[in-house]
Amino acid sequence: MLYTEIPTQRPNTPLLDSIDYPVQLRQLSIEQLDTLADELRLYLLYAAGQSGGHFAANLGVVELTIALHFCFNTPHDRLVWDVGHQAYAHKALTGRRERLTTIRAKDGLAAFPDRKESEYDTFGVGHSSTAISAALGMALACRYQQQQREFIAIVGDGAMTAGMAFEAMNDAVAHNADILVVLNDNDMSISCSTGGFAKHLAAIWQSGQFVSLTETGEVAIFPHPKWDYTSRLHQAATDAADNLFKAIGFEYFGPFDGHHIEQLVQVFDAIKQRKGARLIHIYTKKGKGFAPAEADQIGYHAIAKINASASPTVPVKKLKKYADVFGDWLCDEAAQDERLLAITPAMCEGSGMVGFAKHYPERFFDVAIAEQHAVTLAAGMACEGLKPVVAIYSTFLQRGYDQLIHDVALQNLDVTFGIDRAGLVGEDGATHAGAFDYAYMRAVPNIIILAPKDENECRQMLHTAYLYKGCAAVRYPRGTGIGVEIQQELTELPIGQAEIVAKFGEANQISILAFGSRVYPSIDAAKRLYDEHQIAVRVVNMRFVKPLDGEMLRQCAEHSNLIVTVEEHAVMAGAGSAVNEWLAEQQYQISVLNIGLPDEFLAQATHEQMLESVGLDANGIYRQILRRITGVSVL
């Protein structure tokens, strides 16, 4: 059934409502499974409309999810979802249906599979390309313990572009492991899939195989008719005689229609009788069953809540996203310098690079989900005298840490990193939080780290980092800025120089050293300290995490009773720790309060709720400073 609207009222889904766990699903007929798929898809439309979140990918795996739970004895058999943003249907069928509307909300369901949430969530995910490694680890552990289970890794083709997936496949063959990989090929990750692997999948579609059971129960393999593959956005290779999966050593079956439940059940029932490393290749349509999403798979990758409160009567100024600030700067800088090349690991839209890709296609490189490769690719470009810019999320740069150290910084190469989604990211939760980048970057020689307080400073810092002859990283938050005017003229900032942005009172009782997004909340907290308690405070926009402004730190140490550092980053090893190290090295004995993220992983909530919960909003900063001064907790 094809839907055209997202329901705002809970739809009537009688068959789905009778399925609380997969054991009940296994009692249904194939015809009933098709009805269940229609009801589940409709319910997913409703639930996603209530909660917001990942959308098109979940609609595309409804039939696949039903078939998997029908054919395998979950949770005894292990389903391992890669990335996990396609696991909403899985959650709905495993005891969490009526809580699905709480997904991504504070105290609600996690956006991705979470081992703490359900025994059916066998592995916590959020980053791509981990499922085959995890499933292989489970399979080898059970072999060692002489246990019998099935292990199924469900992997999107976008996730198969990362090297880790192939490392795991190679190892699975080496161990002759009993593992089943389901390759969900929808020609997409968030953006369209790119590169040689995507072309290889397209080629396989030209010469597929169909698997069924003979009357004696043996597996028979037949060629199936040519598929209509006009949905591909790139030219398929003409010769599919060489199959990469077979070459690695996997037994390959497919491709199959991922929306045909009866065929999927037949295939899974046949293949689970076999042993060894097996791969089933299926084709699905991202956004399946919802016409707008089928037509715009990228735009409907995720959606906002559709039942939000009515628009205010007073016009609200539209704030600019930091990703768009980056995208605008990238185009402007490229217009001035033809040496600029831009790289993204499958995050063109999310990083604000659509305009650049359109205007400078020959200078734009989407390397798919391959963060390690993205960093070293930039290093190679820099070796030839060009100036690459890598646009990457903080949480994903973690995956390229060795390359950052060994391939870029060690060789002191001229690479600029635009690090988006730094700090807390709200509803995506702990898997996507950018809480550790100050720590893992500032320990590396030959790198400078900049942290803008607002949109305009972000633009100027990107320009500054680009002009810097070496490795430079600009770290900015998710979402919109505060609405400051963005100056079109590009101005280079002095490297390692902070600035005093506010001063309340004549004395300097307290110096607040604020980094990045926490500058303006620190100003608000400082004003309240002065207005309500006559505590003199100055606020410093530190601008640079590395190098620190030693002269500014010296002034603060010699003319303050208390130094407070504030950052949207883990306190441990963060920017405040860098200040502590400097003070200790200079042998200053002064009271210091470090405010930042606690030493724990934070569950999903709105960004504002998360900041409030850890005391990083203006009120929280105010309360922590006052408690340090008075020794009394305040509301």
Side-chain angles (χ1 to χ4, degrees), residues 566-577:
V566 187
E567 59 191 302
E568 193 174 338
H569 181 280
V571 168
M572 189 174 292
S577 292

Side-chain angles (χ1 to χ4, degrees), residues 30-98:
I30 294 296
E31 292 74 17
Q32 287 176 306
L33 293 183
D34 286 328
T35 301
L36 179 65
D38 283 337
E39 291 187 8
L40 179 53
R41 182 169 280 112
L42 180 60
Y43 183 76
L44 290 179
L45 288 172
Y46 162 74
Q50 297 295 303
S51 65
H54 293 105
F55 188 74
N58 285 291
L59 297 179
V61 297
V62 169
E63 290 83 4
L64 170 61
T65 305
I66 291 172
L68 286 167
H69 280 294
F70 183 82
C71 294
F72 295 96
N73 183 28
T74 57
H76 178 80
D77 293 336
R78 310 301 200 200
L79 297 186
V80 185
W81 296 91
D82 208 289
V83 183
H85 63 228
Q86 76 278 43
Y88 290 17
H90 162 77
K91 290 184 183 238
L93 295 173
T94 54
R96 291 167 281 181
R97 180 185 62 249
E98 298 307 321

Side-chain angles (χ1 to χ4, degrees), residues 125-387:
V125 291
H127 290 187
S128 81
S129 315
T130 62
I132 305 176
S133 294
L136 175 60
M138 295 173 189
L140 296 179
C142 283
R143 175 193 287 177
Y144 175 74
Q145 298 175 87
Q146 298 183 330
Q147 297 175 349
Q148 295 296 319
R149 303 179 192 269
E150 293 286 344
F151 302 91
I152 307 97
I154 304 97
V155 184
D157 57 332
M160 288 293 285
T161 58
M164 184 175 178
F166 287 95
E167 293 171 22
M169 294 181 73
N170 177 69
D171 198 33
V173 172
H175 291 290
N176 192 29
D178 293 329
I179 182 176
L180 174 60
V181 175
V182 178
L183 173 58
N184 174 26
D185 176 8
N186 61 12
D187 200 30
M188 303 286 290
S189 52
I190 293 177
S191 305
C192 297
S193 292
T194 63
F197 181 71
K199 291 182 178 180
H200 181 69
L201 293 183
I204 290 175
W205 275 95
Q206 309 305 315
S207 177
Q209 297 171 324
F210 180 77
V211 179
S212 66
L213 288 174
T214 66
E215 293 182 359
T216 60
E218 298 296 320
V219 173
I221 303 174
F222 305 101
H224 66 58
K226 301 286 185 179
W227 289 78
D228 178 9
Y229 214 66
T230 56
S231 65
R232 285 288 174 183
L233 300 181
H234 37 60
Q235 182 65 41
T238 56
D239 184 7
D242 295 325
N243 183 298
L244 178 61
F245 306 111
K246 291 181 180 179
I248 291 174
F250 267 68
E251 196 174 14
Y252 172 87
F253 305 96
F256 304 102
D257 183 352
H259 300 299
H260 194 301
I261 290 182
E262 183 175 6
Q263 185 180 97
L264 290 175
V265 168
Q266 184 182 24
V267 169
F268 289 147
D269 281 344
I271 303 306
K272 73 181 183 181
Q273 306 302 322
R274 303 174 75 85
K275 299 297 182 182
R278 296 147 290 158
L279 184 139
I280 296 176
H281 182 181
I282 69 168
Y283 180 72
T284 62
K285 189 177 186 67
K286 195 171 181 179
K288 174 70 174 178
F290 185 61
E294 289 188 10
D296 183 10
Q297 297 174 341
I298 295 174
Y300 278 90
H301 173 74
I303 63 169
K305 296 180 182 181
I306 65 168
N307 62 338
S309 57
S311 301
T313 55
V314 179
V316 177
K317 180 180 179 181
K318 187 173 182 180
L319 301 178
K320 194 153 194 169
K321 293 181 179 180
Y322 275 97
D324 294 331
V325 173
F326 171 82
D328 291 345
W329 164 78
L330 193 66
C331 290
D332 294 343
E333 197 76 64
Q336 298 180 176
D337 189 348
E338 61 184 18
R339 297 174 299 166
L340 186 152
L341 303 178
I343 300 167
T344 177
M347 287 292 163
C348 177
E349 289 79 17
S351 294
M353 303 176 75
V354 173
F356 182 88
K358 179 180 178 180
H359 289 99
Y360 301 101
E362 74 285 356
R363 298 161 70 177
F364 173 71
F365 300 87
D366 183 343
V367 302
I369 303 176
E371 295 87 357
Q372 299 172 60
H373 167 59
V375 177
T376 304
L377 178 70
M381 291 173 173
C383 286
E384 296 301 317
L386 298 180
K387 290 180 67 66

Side-chain angles (χ1 to χ4, degrees), residues 394 423-424 434-440 442 475 518 566-576 595-598 616:
S394 172
L424 298 172
F436 312 110
D437 45 37
Y438 289 164
Y440 69 67
R442 75 177 186 86
R475 187 244 200 205
R518 296 301 88 197
V566 187
E567 59 191 302
E568 193 174 338
H569 181 280
V571 168
M572 189 174 292
I595 298 176
L597 300 177
L616 274 176

